[in-house]
Structures are given as C-alpha cells and as structure tokens.
Amino acid sequence: MGLHADRVCGRQRTLLMKMGVCGCCGALRPRYKRLVDNIFPEDPEVRAHSQSQDGLVKANMEKLTFYALSAPEKLDRIGAYLSERLSRDVARHRYGYVCMAMEALDQLLMACHCQSINLFVESFLTMVRKLLEADKPNLQILGTNSFVKFANIEEDTPSYHRSYDFFVSRFSEMCHSSYEDPDIRTKSPSPVTDKESPVELTERCFRELLGRAVYGNIKNAVKPVLMHLDNHSLWEGKQFAVRCFKIIMYSIQSQHSHLVIQQLLGHLDANSKNSARVRAGIVEVIAEAAVIEASGSIGPTVLEVFNTLLKQLRLSVDFELTGSYDSFGNIGSKVIKIHEERQLQEAVIKTIGSFANTLPTYQRSEVMLFIIGKIPVPGMYPALGSPNTGIEGSRMIQIMLLKSLLQVTAGFKSTNILTALPTSFLDPLLSFTLMEDAEIRLLVLDILISIIDRHDNRHKFSPVRIISDISVLKLKVDKCSRQDNLFMKKHSQRLYRHIYLACKEESSSLWHFESKFTLLALMCVELANEEVVGDLIRLALALQDLALFDDALPVYNRCAIHALSAAYLNLISQLTTVPTFCQHVHEVIESRKKEHSFLLPEDVLTETSNIPEKLEKVEGEVLFVQAKIAEMLGGSGYNTERLATPYIPQISDEDRLSKRKSIGDTVSLQLEMESRQSPEKEQRSTAEQITFETLKQAIVDSVNVEELEKERRRQVVERFQNAPFEEIAAHCGARASLLQSKLNQIFEITIRPPPSPSGSVGNGHGRTRSIPVYEMKFPDLCVY
C-alpha cells in the first residue's frame, strides 16, 4: 500500500505541475523525504529530555528503516537527501540535527545489506568527509566513530571504485593533533577504550591493516612508514623503527615479505649520502627484517641483500678516507664522523652474518662465492686502488669483505668439503696468505678454520700447549669420507705450501701462530688419511728446518715455529697411536724443557713470551729427526720412502702474482711429482739435490734459451717480410704435407674395418675373417 500511495502522490504532483500549480504542500513530497524529515524533531534538545519525544523519533526511524528494506532502490535517494540535510545543518551550526543524521545513517548502513548499498555508501562517505573537514573536534570524533562502524561491515564483494586516500591522509593528520584539551586530543573511537591504550589500539589496527594487504598493496602500506621514520628522524633511535618493521614482517603474508626487504634496500640506497647514524639504523632494520623473511620464504632477495650491504661497505670506506659524502670534496658538503662510519661498518658486517646464519648450506656457499668475487685479489685485479681512495681504500675494502666472509662462514657445517671449498673460492682466498698485511692473513686463516671445523673442535686447540694425553680434549673425529679424500688429493699440496710460506712472514704475531696450529690440527682431525698424515708430519719437520736455517727471520718467529712444530708433532703422534713415534716426540719435548724451554709453546706462544735475545745454534736431542720418524712409522704400514723425503713446497704462479719478485723468495725449484702419482703404482725417483751451482746454471741456461728464441722469431718475421710469395707458399705447403702424413699414419694404426654380420669383411683383395667385438683392440683414448 505504501508503494502504491507513493506512486499515486507522484502522479498527482506531476499533474499539478502541468496545471501550473506550485507550492510546498507536504502531502505532495516524495515519501522517502517525508520519512527522513519525520526522524528529526522540531527541537533536538527536547528529545534529550522527553521520553515521549524520543520514542516518537525511534518509531519514525523504524519506519524509515522498514521502507529502505522494502524499497532498496530508494537507498541512494535517501542517502543523498540525508547528506543534503547534514551539510545544511553543519553550515548552520545545528549540531544536534547533525548527530541525528549520522545516527540515522549508521542504522541504515548496518541494517541494509544488499547490492544497492554501494550507492548509499558514496553518500555516507561524503557525509563522513564533511564532518572530518569541520574544525570542531566533536564533529571529527563523530565522523570517525561512523567510519569505524562502516569499516567493520563485511561486504560480499570488494568495491574497487571507492577511494580512501582522503581518509588515510586525514586520519594520519589527526594523529598529530595539537588541540589544547588533552582529553579531546587523545579520545579514541574504540568501544574498548577503557581496556586499550592508544598505543595498543594503534598497533592492533596496524597489524589488521597489514594482514589484509595483498601483493599489489604491500608497497603502499610500507611507503608511509618509511616517510614517517624519515620525517621524524626515527632511524637514529633504531628501537622504534625495528619495532615497526617487526610488526610489518609478522603481520603480512609470508610470501610477500621479500617486497618489504626490497623497499628497505631501495631506501638504504636512497639514503647513501645521509649520515652514518641514519644508514646504520636502516641496516639494523634490514637485519631484523631479513632474518624474519629467511625463516619464512627465501625470495629472490638473498643476493640482493648482500649486494646492497657490500655496496654500503665500499661507500662507507670511501666516505671515511675522503672525509666527505661528496666524491669531489666540494665546500659545504657534510662533515664525516669517522667513529660513526666505523660503527656503520660493524653494523653492516653483523647484519651480513646474522642473515647468512638463517640460510641453508647451499645458499650460504653461493653467498661465500659471491663475496669472494667482490674482493680485489692481488694479481687478478692489478689496479687495486679506486680513483678516490687509492691503495689504502682497497686494503680497507679487502679487510671489510674478509670480515664479512668470516661472519658468513661462522657456524658453517658442510658435509662435503669439496663443494664447500671449490677451486673458484679457494684460489683467491689462498692468495691473501701471501700478502704483507698481517690482519688480512689472520682473517684468511680464521675463514679456513671456520669452514674445515665441522665438529666444533677449534676451541679445543687454543691456547697452543703440549698435552700429555689428548683424550682430555674429547675430540670429535669421524672417518674421512670419499669427498674429503678427493679434496685433499686435489688441494692438499697448495694448503701445505701456503701454510709453510705464511710461517716465513716476519709480521706474524701470537694470533697467527695459534691460528696456524689450529688449522693444522683440524686438517689432521677432519681430513686426514694415511697419506695426508705422512705429508703433515713432513710439513711439521720442514717448519723445524725453516726455523733452523732461515737466519733472516726474527728470533721470536724462529722460536714460535719451533714451538708450533713441537706442539703439532705431539698431537699427531698421539693420533697415529704408534708407540715408538710417541716416545721419540716425548723425549725431544723433555729435552727442551731442561735447557731450551723457549722452543716450547708454553714459553713462546703466550702474550708475555720468554725468549732469548739471540738464538744460538739448535742441535742434538732437542730436534726431531726425520729418519727416525720414518723408520718408526714404516713399521706401522706408512710409506717409508715418502716420509724420508724432505718436504719442499712447489712453485706456483701465485708466487709471481704476489709481492715476492726476487729469486731469493722462491723456496725451491723442485717439482714434487709424488703428490700427483699413486705410491702403490709407480716407483719414485729420489729428489734432485738443489745447490747454488744448480741454480746459477739454471739462470744462465734460461737466459741463453730466451736469446735463442728471440733470434728465431726475428728470422721468421724477417722471412715473411722480405721473401717472395712463392717461397712462403711452398714453405707452408711443405709443413701442411708433413702434418697430413703424420695424421695418415695415426689413422692407419687406429682405424680397423667394422665387423660384418656375415662373419667376413671385404677389403678389395679378398675376404678375411671378421674380428669379434670382444677381441677388437681399441685405442686407450676410446676406452672409458
């Protein structure tokens, strides 16, 4: 009946207008307007004190709600009319009517769930916006309360045409309100205000907002946070920034976490020339966020994190050495605080380590290769210095990146040492053991120790000391695997050589000798088979000879090498469990304790060493005898010939690439072919004894060979410049014929006619028996 009456009234109004009748007759107004007008009393103040008036308003509100539910197509008109009345009441400062209009809107919004509600929502949001734009705090609170109710409505389908940019901006602005009344300034619209503080409520809303974010909205959610931290200088305090991004990382969906890391990395790059404290704050946030991301999904940001952090290390070194954020040092640029740059560098290195510890083994190996590829390597990159910082800058970069690499390798446990230390990683790493810088050499030793120590034994070998019974160390020893044997067969000689040459460095300190002993001990515990044990014993005896005969070394270094050799032979003798070997080592140590205690680690490898001013000739019972040890171990199955051969390190291209340029730095010209051959298959020839005359003759011969080669090349060039073309063609043709004849000879030897199914083969001169496959003689190169 109501709808029929409304249609009748509409027809009557149209008829009267055609007849020229104009007026404000209430009976002719649309019904939805009359229902809306009826919910507003003549005086809102009377309603507040009159129960009958209040009851009438509620009854009229129920009629309006029932009408809206019955005719949902009228919702947009109802909303537009309410919005029109509210705008007029706000302009006339009739705030009682404003409150009633919002109350009606809220009830209609909560009651009407239909597809037409989208049109009504537009009017509702327009009215909320009008209230938020008002300068009255009470109106702003009223609009905020209504918006919260609207936000809690669960809609069936999302409405992408709505825009909430204004509300986000306005609510953010209201958070910084400076209204004089603190009660109004801190009022919250939450119904649980008494239980939650504004901080708790804000965090809850923040978490809920991020939890609803999808792939395309992550950046929009994080960007305002970054701007807020920038504008209020909150990176320097770190705690607030870290707290914010912990909330973000734990609230968003795990598969989207790498997007947050990417934004942080981009923000760090954007602040590359900001103060060190700001950059350090961003780095610490990345550290916390990256760890959370790694525990969830490892996205494509793994190497990107390390690349950005290593880039920041390089920039920090440049800033520290140039003293300016401007590479050209222009006047007016910001002043660098060196101690802050050092703190930033430490924070970056710590972040690299903390993130690497969350990665699986295979990814950590990739990161190790990635970092080693960033380090300027002597010989591979001759121009080490950058245009702004020179050689000192490259040295600092090497140290920083090696420290980062040490952090990555800390706690690294790889079951396959062959993949953990590939040639592409080991070659550049070992090249640093020949550098003059003592800090760089120590870092390399520690990196090797971290990788080889797979059973946490390293701390049991420090400090270096003579242990009468190594069982107290409770070493964890596993049988050497096939991969370990392959690794030592491939790389052991280079490791021995670098350890030997590192002992020749005059700048070595107590920490270097401790690290060398730990590395040697771990090689014996982790990677030793019978052949490796023999080589390690030979290496220890070669170190003893180095301390005996290299008078150029300082007294401390010679005593330290003697002590290192004694402590290591004491350890390895007990690991081999050969009684006679152990007895010999024990006797030598006891002899040293009587008059030569400065050759033992307890007196030398301590912070307060006790060594003589000059090292007299060491001989007799205080020395380990290689012939005796070889004889003792020979009875237990060890290769006597190999043990009796003194260890002399091989020559390598690294000697030419390193700082050593003179022949005096080259240890020997002997090539140890036994390291590449199996002792069970071939007889070994006695190593040639190298004398001064041999070296002199080698130098003279090499000079003569070079002169002859130069003369031959000069003649060839002269012939091709001056000889006629026919002569040159004939010469080249003769060489080609010679080559072809040799190839023909090879083909005649190797090629045989294939067997035929009939059991015979034709060769043009008759029939011969076919050779069965199992009787055919194949060349060695064709047999797998």
Side-chain angles (χ1 to χ4, degrees), residues 3-16:
L3 294 176
H4 177 71
D6 189 26
R7 285 194 292 269
V8 172
C9 290
R11 288 195 296 269
Q12 290 177 348
R13 182 174 66 256
T14 304
L15 180 62
L16 289 174

Side-chain angles (χ1 to χ4, degrees), residues 731-741:
H731 176 72
C732 295
R735 296 188 63 182
S737 300
L738 178 62
L739 175 62
Q740 186 62 43
S741 64

